[in-house]
């Protein structure tokens, strides 16, 4: 009997050992006994020889599902690379990249894809106007008959690109987001057999096993929409770049501006798309401000913002006002003792939602009624701080009338389509919301975009906060149709200072400044940062292990279960922390790692 290593989805790194009558190649799906039930796993190459384990002591594989490896070699190698680089097990990596039916053991036809010859190359397409970039992508797709993936961070962009393609070309491919879950699995299987030449899609299309993949296009590679929202947290661009290398496929990276990592490769901004004449900076300290009942702070709504809003509305154009603060007020404080009202369940900050008359925890999401007195000192006077979108809506209606003011509070409901908005509001109006309303510019081109509190975008306690803020405002200036006549009103306490100053010059100037600062502080992309969430009672031992191994680390002051590590030595770190990821630690708690690469 042969000992076979099997990777099973789980928080551990451990490959489980089973026996079989003959050796199995890596990447084969097998059904194995695990506990009181059975699971589907993937055969893997054992990282360490099983010298101390006898075959007689190991359970047998129940069933071999595939006779040949069901995945293209490039995709299996991508999964293994992803697991090692992101500090997860191969089973978890496969679960993150592959469809559910695959790991449920659904049958697949045998295919024998031949290895692709040649070498991969990287091409950069950084054009601020969406139509210009998509025209380049279309030319790449139509100029070749080779298999291709064209990927976009949002559904609306993928559909817009699909609509640009000639009808005969569409017959060779598929628009992935238009498919139901069942049809996606059907087309996933067809792509293995070479029945689909190309796919246009979003995140869910990133790892389709297209036979003979020759080109991967990733639009808006700098967008945060490419980041996953659940563990394992990763940016699709990084994994797709690795996949292109393993597949010997060309990689096309594009967008309105590059990410930090890509900028280090391409250098200066050759496009030089200036928007200085479209920017209007307003000093919030000198701007008109409006008070809201029960809220201490005032909302700045400057005369330039009111003027540009009126001008756009008179021309029949839409206006977007952006404030990344939901609810009526960011939080509630006691006037007597100064204590904030905290969540009784987790201690998190509670947001005041006036429309529901409730407080909502920003951490755990629990909802509580507004207390009649301070939970800390019993004081009767509570007041809100940092007015939000609900307060902004009241002032917008008082300034511009009650009709044509649309609030998207981003409370978990889906933003309506642009078509439905324009149908319900045939005359242009003002759309209020968080940064998410920028997606509407794909079909509704606003005449004015107003950033109510631009400083708040860069106030987040993250090393890349300024880059995120710059990217958002650059996007608001260029995204959608006919952006050249759009005015951007930026209300700030330090207008045209620091990162805001570079908006009028371009992203090349911004990245030169930003990366110089990051290099001095040894921050990503120069030195990766890793966040390790570990059960609190294990943190002290992990800190001692990191100290002994010579790693640069620090313990979180806010959380008792978090340690940060700054290092380029991933292999050495993996050896140091490997014992914490053994399957034996399942009950006591296995850590989770988040990586910051750029």
């Amino acid at each position: 009997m042969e000992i076979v290593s099997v990777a099973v989805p789980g928080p551990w790194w451990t490959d489980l050992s089973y026996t079989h009558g003959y050796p199995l190649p890596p990447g084969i799906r097998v059904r194995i006994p695990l506990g009181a039930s059975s699971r589907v796993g993937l055969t893997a190459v054992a990282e360490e020889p099983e010298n101390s384990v006898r075959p007689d002591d190991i359970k047998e594989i129940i069933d071999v599902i595939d006779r040949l490896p069901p995945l293209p070699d490039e995709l299996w190698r991508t999964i293994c690379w992803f697991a090692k680089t992101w500090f997860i097990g191969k089973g978890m990596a496969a679960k993150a990249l592959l469809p559910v039916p695959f790991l449920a053991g659904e049958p697949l036809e045998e295919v024998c894809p031949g290895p692709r010859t040649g070498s991969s190359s990287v091409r950069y397409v950084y054009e601020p106007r969406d139509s210009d970039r998509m025209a380049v992508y279309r030319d790449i797709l139509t100029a070749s008959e080779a298999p291709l993936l064209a990927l976009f961070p949002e559904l609306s962009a993928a559909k817009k690109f699909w609509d640009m393609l000639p009808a005969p070309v569409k017959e060779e491919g598929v628009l992935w987001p238009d498919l139901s879950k069942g049809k996606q699995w059907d087309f996933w299987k067809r792509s293995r057999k070479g029945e689909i030449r190309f796919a246009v899609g979003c995140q869910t299309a990133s790892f389709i096993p297209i036979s003979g993949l020759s080109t991967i296009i990733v639009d808006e590679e700098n967008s945060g929409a490419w980041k996953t929202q659940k563990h394992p947290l990763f940016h699709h661009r990084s994994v797709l770049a690795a996949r292109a290398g393993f597949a010997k496929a060309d990689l096309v990276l594009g967008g309105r501006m590059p990410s930090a990592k890509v900028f280090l490769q391409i250098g200066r901004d050759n496009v030089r798309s200036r928007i200085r004449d479209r920017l209007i900076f307003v000093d919030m300290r000198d701007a008109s401000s409006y008070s809201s009942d029960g809220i201490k702070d005032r909302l700045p709504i400057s005369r330039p913002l009111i003027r540009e809003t009126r001008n756009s509305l008179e021309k029949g154009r839409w206006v977007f006002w952006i404030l990344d603060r939901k609810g009526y007020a960011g939080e509630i404080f006691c006037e007597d003792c100064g204590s904030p009202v905290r969540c009784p369940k987790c201690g998190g900050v509670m947001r005041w939602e006036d429309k529901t008359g409730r407080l909502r925890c920003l951490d755990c999401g629990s909802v509580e009624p507004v207390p009649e007195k301070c939970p800390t000192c019993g004081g009767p006077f509570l007041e809100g701080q940092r007015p939000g979108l609900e307060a902004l809506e009241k002032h917008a209606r008082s300034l511009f009338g009650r009709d044509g003011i649309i609030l998207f509070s981003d409370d978990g409901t889906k933003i309506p389509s642009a078509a439905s908005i324009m149908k319900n509001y045939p005359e242009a109006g003002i759309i209020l919301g968080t940064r998410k309303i920028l997606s509407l510019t794909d079909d509704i081109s606003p005449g004015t975009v107003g950033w109510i509190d631009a400083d708040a975008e860069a106030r987040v306690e993250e090393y890349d906060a300024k880059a995120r803020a710059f990217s958002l405002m650059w996007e608001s200036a260029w995204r959608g149709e006919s952006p050249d006549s759009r005015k951007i009103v930026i209300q700030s306490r330090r207008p045209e200072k620091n990162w805001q100053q570079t908006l009028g010059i371009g992203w090349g100037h911004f990245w030169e400044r930003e990366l110089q600062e990051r290099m001095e502080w040894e921050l990503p992309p120069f030195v990766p940062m890793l966040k390790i969430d570990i059960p609190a009672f294990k943190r002290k031992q992990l800190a001692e292990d990191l100290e002994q191994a010579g790693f640069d680390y620090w313990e979180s002051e806010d959380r008792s279960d978090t340690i940060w590590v700054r290092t380029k030595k991933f292999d050495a770190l993996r050896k140091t922390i490997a014992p914490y990821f053994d399957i034996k630690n399942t009950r006591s708690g296995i850590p989770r790692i988040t990586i910051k690469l750029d």
Side-chain angles (χ1 to χ4, degrees):
M1 299 291 283
E2 299 286 340
I3 297 178
V4 179
S5 292
V6 180
V8 180
W12 53 79
W13 295 352
T14 313
D15 289 339
L16 308 182
S17 296
Y18 293 89
T19 59
H20 190 61
Y22 52 87
L24 294 173
I28 293 284
R29 292 180 300 167
V30 293
R31 191 173 301 279
I32 47 94
L34 187 63
S37 61
S38 65
R39 299 275 294 276
V40 173
L42 291 161
T43 56
V45 176
E47 295 188 4
E48 295 182 5
E50 296 280 359
N51 295 327
S52 60
V53 181
R54 298 189 313 167
D56 294 343
D57 300 330
I58 304 176
K59 294 181 180 180
E60 289 187 43
I61 290 173
I62 297 173
D63 181 35
V64 178
I65 299 171
D66 307 302
R67 193 174 67 89
L68 298 174
L71 298 174
D73 179 66
E74 53 89 2
L75 190 50
W76 173 245
R77 292 172 67 189
T78 300
I79 290 171
C80 295
W81 173 88
F82 176 46
K84 186 175 182 180
T85 306
W86 257 259
F87 295 86
I88 54 177
K90 288 187 282 291
M92 179 66 77
K95 182 179 179 181
L97 305 188
L98 300 175
V100 172
F102 180 87
L103 287 173
E106 291 287 330
L108 293 169
E109 291 185 35
E110 290 185 3
V111 294
C112 299
R116 176 176 154 77
T117 59
S119 59
S120 61
S121 64
V122 182
R123 179 177 176 181
Y124 303 106
V125 183
Y126 291 99
E127 295 286 347
R129 295 172 185 82
D130 299 342
S131 56
D132 292 346
R133 284 198 320 281
M134 289 191 180
V136 175
Y137 302 151
R138 180 193 57 203
D139 292 344
I140 292 172
L141 191 153
T142 56
S144 171
E145 296 182 355
L148 175 147
L149 279 175
L151 304 170
F152 300 84
E154 296 178 14
L155 172 61
S156 57
K159 287 185 174 180
K160 182 163 288 190
F161 178 69
W162 178 261
D163 291 340
M164 292 176 63
L165 300 178
V169 174
K170 290 181 181 178
E171 295 177 0
E172 304 174 35
V174 62
L175 177 60
W176 201 257
D178 265 6
L179 303 174
S180 64
K181 291 290 184 182
K183 285 189 176 181
Q184 283 187 8
W185 173 239
D186 178 56
F187 275 84
W188 193 92
K189 292 187 290 184
R190 289 179 57 189
S191 69
R192 293 176 64 246
K193 298 185 290 183
E195 296 178 5
I196 298 171
R197 181 174 81 83
F198 71 91
V200 176
C202 305
Q203 294 82 349
T204 54
S206 297
F207 304 103
I208 299 171
I210 286 186
S211 179
L213 182 62
S214 69
T215 303
I216 301 176
I217 297 172
V218 185
D219 186 47
E220 279 301 312
E221 55 86 14
N222 185 47
S223 171
W226 285 114
K227 296 179 181 178
T228 57
Q229 299 300 311
K230 61 181 181 180
H231 184 74
L233 301 176
F234 66 95
H235 196 294
H236 279 71
R237 176 205 60 234
S238 300
V239 185
L240 285 166
R243 183 184 184 186
F246 291 128
K248 297 181 179 178
D250 295 332
L251 178 66
V252 181
L253 298 175
R256 299 178 194 94
M257 64 175 285
S259 60
K261 210 164 191 177
V262 172
F263 179 77
L264 290 176
Q265 302 296 321
I266 64 176
R268 290 185 172 273
D269 175 8
N270 295 321
V271 179
R272 291 293 179 185
S273 302
R274 304 293 179 90
I275 58 172
R276 190 190 301 274
D277 58 339
R278 297 198 281 126
L279 296 175
I280 300 173
F281 288 96
V282 180
D283 192 330
M284 290 170 58
R285 295 167 296 184
D286 300 331
S288 303
S289 59
Y290 295 77
S291 61
S292 305
D293 293 341
I295 300 180
K296 177 182 178 181
D297 305 314
R298 298 170 68 89
L299 258 176
I301 304 177
S302 63
R303 290 180 181 177
L305 177 59
I306 295 172
R307 180 192 69 229
E308 295 301 326
T309 297
R310 290 195 189 281
N311 289 343
S312 292
L313 293 176
E314 288 172 0
K315 295 175 182 177
R317 299 193 66 180
W318 288 83
V319 175
F320 290 4
W321 283 10
I322 300 175
L323 178 63
D324 269 332
R325 197 177 301 133
K326 307 171 194 175
Y328 186 63
E331 53 190 325
I332 290 183
F333 281 78
C334 173
E335 290 188 27
D336 292 337
C337 69
S339 299
V341 176
R342 295 286 185 177
C343 175
K345 294 182 179 179
C346 72
V349 173
M350 301 288 282
R351 180 177 66 228
W352 180 7
E353 297 177 346
D354 188 49
K355 288 190 174 181
T356 61
R358 302 179 301 179
L359 301 179
R360 184 182 299 274
C361 178
L362 301 184
D363 292 334
C364 70
S366 63
V367 176
E368 300 288 337
V370 178
E372 295 182 358
K373 57 184 180 180
C374 174
T376 302
C377 72
F381 301 109
L382 299 174
E383 65 177 353
Q385 290 192 359
R386 297 183 295 116
L389 283 168
E390 291 180 12
L392 181 64
E393 179 189 21
K394 293 183 178 181
H395 297 305
R397 292 191 185 281
S398 68
L399 288 167
F400 298 97
R402 302 195 62 82
D403 296 330
I405 307 294
I406 311 169
L407 170 64
F408 293 134
S409 58
D410 191 24
D411 56 358
T413 58
K414 188 177 180 180
I415 293 180
S417 67
S420 65
I421 293 172
M422 290 187 286
K423 180 180 179 180
N424 294 329
Y425 297 88
E427 296 184 6
I430 304 173
I431 298 178
L432 315 177
T434 65
R435 66 185 71 180
K436 287 190 175 182
I437 65 173
L438 286 176
S439 63
L440 293 171
T441 58
D442 291 334
D443 299 295
I444 299 176
S445 184
T448 299
V449 175
W451 290 90
I452 305 302
D453 185 359
D455 302 316
E457 305 300 328
R459 205 179 294 136
V460 182
E461 293 183 0
E462 295 282 352
Y463 71 90
D464 61 346
K466 289 183 291 185
R468 286 192 236 172
F470 181 96
S471 178
L472 281 169
M473 291 176 203
W474 189 257
E475 178 183 355
S476 72
W478 288 109
R479 184 168 180 171
E481 298 296 327
S482 306
D484 298 84
S485 60
R486 185 182 306 160
K487 294 296 180 70
I488 312 298
V489 181
I490 299 175
Q491 299 187 155
S492 169
R493 293 169 185 81
R494 302 189 66 193
E496 292 192 88
K497 303 294 184 183
N498 300 323
W499 64 271
Q500 293 180 22
Q501 184 183 42
T502 61
L503 279 168
I505 305 173
W507 50 258
H509 193 65
F510 168 79
W511 276 129
E512 287 172 1
R513 285 188 176 186
E514 173 75 4
L515 291 177
Q516 179 63 36
E517 184 177 315
R518 291 198 202 178
M519 184 169 61
E520 292 173 359
W521 287 95
E522 295 187 328
L523 294 171
F526 300 101
V527 182
M529 291 170 55
L530 298 91
K531 176 188 174 188
I532 305 177
D533 292 313
I534 187 170
F537 71 93
K538 295 185 178 184
R539 188 171 86 160
K540 181 179 179 182
Q541 182 60 53
L542 176 59
E544 292 176 359
D545 292 342
L546 293 170
E547 179 75 28
Q548 187 174 1
F551 285 102
D552 178 15
Y553 76 94
W554 62 97
E555 300 179 47
S556 172
E557 296 180 359
D558 300 326
R559 298 179 62 96
S560 61
D561 58 353
T562 299
I563 288 181
W564 287 88
V565 180
R566 183 165 51 194
T567 184
K568 295 180 181 179
K569 301 176 181 178
F570 278 26
D571 288 341
L573 178 62
R574 191 177 180 88
K575 289 182 180 179
T576 300
I577 64 178
Y580 295 90
F581 289 85
D582 193 283
I583 195 171
K584 297 175 183 177
N585 293 317
T586 301
R587 290 193 175 184
S588 62
I590 293 176
R592 284 187 172 186
I593 295 182
T594 303
I595 304 176
K596 308 282 189 179
L597 291 178
D598 66 349

